[in-house]
Amino acid sequence: MLVDLHTHSTCSDGRYTPSQLVKMAAEAGIGILGITDHDSVNGIEEALNAAAAVPGAPVIAKGVELGTQVGESSVHILGYNIDIHNKNLLDKIEEMRHAREKRLHRMLDKIGALGYHITVEQCDPKNRAVGRPHVAKALVKKGYFSSVEEAFDVLLKRGKPGYEPQPKLSPEESVELLHGAGGLAVLAHPAEIENLPLVNTLLSTIPFDGIEVYHPSADEKMQQCFLQMAEKYKLLVSGGSDFHGVEGRFPEQLGIFKVYAEKVNIIQKMLK
Ligand SMILES: [Zn+2]
Ligand SMILES: [Zn+2]
């Protein structure tokens, strides 16, 4: 059986609604579908309802992906089987969203004073994860820069005059939050951290339940390395496509990045 424990819907930066994801997963023969939006559990109920109505629909793994920061490194943490009504979790998610909005205002004030005039509305403010990429795109659209990269290099990167730090949870806090909501905490796409010593430190010092071994960012060699870590730190093995449905970003379709149920023992805990 195929599974996909990591997908994004329109409740964060995915292209398709939770219902569309469920339908596409059913068509692709996916037996378990994880809905793991960035800092949002808003898509879960729709996915559960859609799964109840679509013949051959996958079982829905109720998930979330929390963005955390360690120094310069961005560390994503997946939560599964969480209570989507847990007050602490919902409060914290809301608090982070407010903090991001405030940061956007500070950033626009800062670059405005430098002569770059962008409004909040030009920065996709409804996006739950609004940040520098959206500001950069708006700057390019207004003709200040020729590319997003240039906008970062000149203005938005750490150390540049428009930089404003992003408020983020720590991995410790996030894992605690997920456990408090009755969930399992999984280190997402460790290859994207691009820092194996940090991955080892995280896994040895924070009570993670699992590691996402199978993900488009990890080649076979990396997968072997992460499997060894799973064994060493007694972690469940997870996997998913991180499907966003965005053109030019692999996988462009659900079901083409294949994760087999027998390789991801986390599902035994999930389906309990
Ligand atoms: Zn991620
Ligand atoms: Zn993701």
Side-chain angles (χ1 to χ4, degrees), residues 72-114:
E72 288 286 280
S73 301
S74 175
V75 173
H76 289 185
I77 298 173
L78 293 159
Y80 291 108
N81 276 20
I82 42 171
D83 169 10
I84 57 169
H85 303 294
N86 180 270
K87 191 169 179 317
N88 270 344
L89 179 65
L90 296 179
D91 284 353
K92 200 76 198 173
I93 285 175
E94 203 47 31
E95 187 188 316
M96 296 311 288
R97 200 171 64 81
H98 279 300
R100 261 196 295 268
E101 268 172 26
K102 279 196 206 135
R103 179 232 193 182
L104 177 64
H105 285 275
R106 282 197 303 275
M107 197 154 45
L108 295 185
D109 284 349
K110 223 174 195 177
I111 65 175
L114 296 164

Side-chain angles (χ1 to χ4, degrees), residues 17-85:
T17 63
S19 310
Q20 287 173 316
L21 286 178
V22 168
K23 200 162 159 269
M24 289 189 301
E27 281 160 10
I30 290 168
I32 304 174
L33 176 70
I35 304 284
T36 54
D37 278 305
H38 296 287
D39 305 318
S40 171
V41 291
N42 293 349
I44 306 285
E45 230 151 58
E46 183 185 324
L48 289 170
N49 290 335
V54 173
V59 171
I60 303 300
K62 295 184 280 182
V64 67
E65 183 171 23
L66 300 177
T68 80
Q69 186 89 25
V70 180
E72 288 286 280
S73 301
S74 175
V75 173
H76 289 185
I77 298 173
L78 293 159
Y80 291 108
N81 276 20
I82 42 171
D83 169 10
I84 57 169
H85 303 294

Side-chain angles (χ1 to χ4, degrees), residues 6-8 13 36 38 65 76 78 188-189 215 242-244 249:
H6 187 165
T7 67
H8 294 275
D13 54 352
T36 54
H38 296 287
E65 183 171 23
H76 289 185
L78 293 159
H189 44 68
H215 181 273
D242 213 349
F243 177 71
H244 283 70
R249 172 171 180 172

Side-chain angles (χ1 to χ4, degrees), residues 137-226:
K137 270 185 215 155
L139 285 163
V140 171
K141 209 169 167 193
K142 260 202 120 176
Y144 288 120
F145 297 102
S146 58
S147 68
V148 164
E149 214 180 356
E150 194 193 354
F152 267 83
D153 285 345
V154 175
L155 206 56
L156 301 175
K157 259 191 190 167
R158 187 184 284 250
K160 298 297 170 189
Y163 177 75
E164 188 63 40
Q166 183 178 355
K168 281 218 170 167
L169 294 169
S170 72
E172 289 85 351
E173 254 181 303
S174 299
V175 168
E176 207 182 298
L177 210 52
L178 294 169
H179 284 164
L184 299 166
V186 173
L187 182 65
H189 44 68
E192 281 188 8
I193 299 175
E194 292 182 328
N195 182 342
L196 280 181
L198 175 60
V199 171
N200 268 298
T201 305
L202 291 169
L203 294 176
S204 60
T205 58
I206 299 172
F208 280 101
D209 304 288
I211 176 171
E212 191 177 46
V213 171
Y214 304 101
H215 181 273
S217 62
D219 60 18
E220 218 160 297
K221 215 175 121 200
M222 280 295 203
Q223 289 173 8
Q224 286 309 319
C225 167
F226 298 143

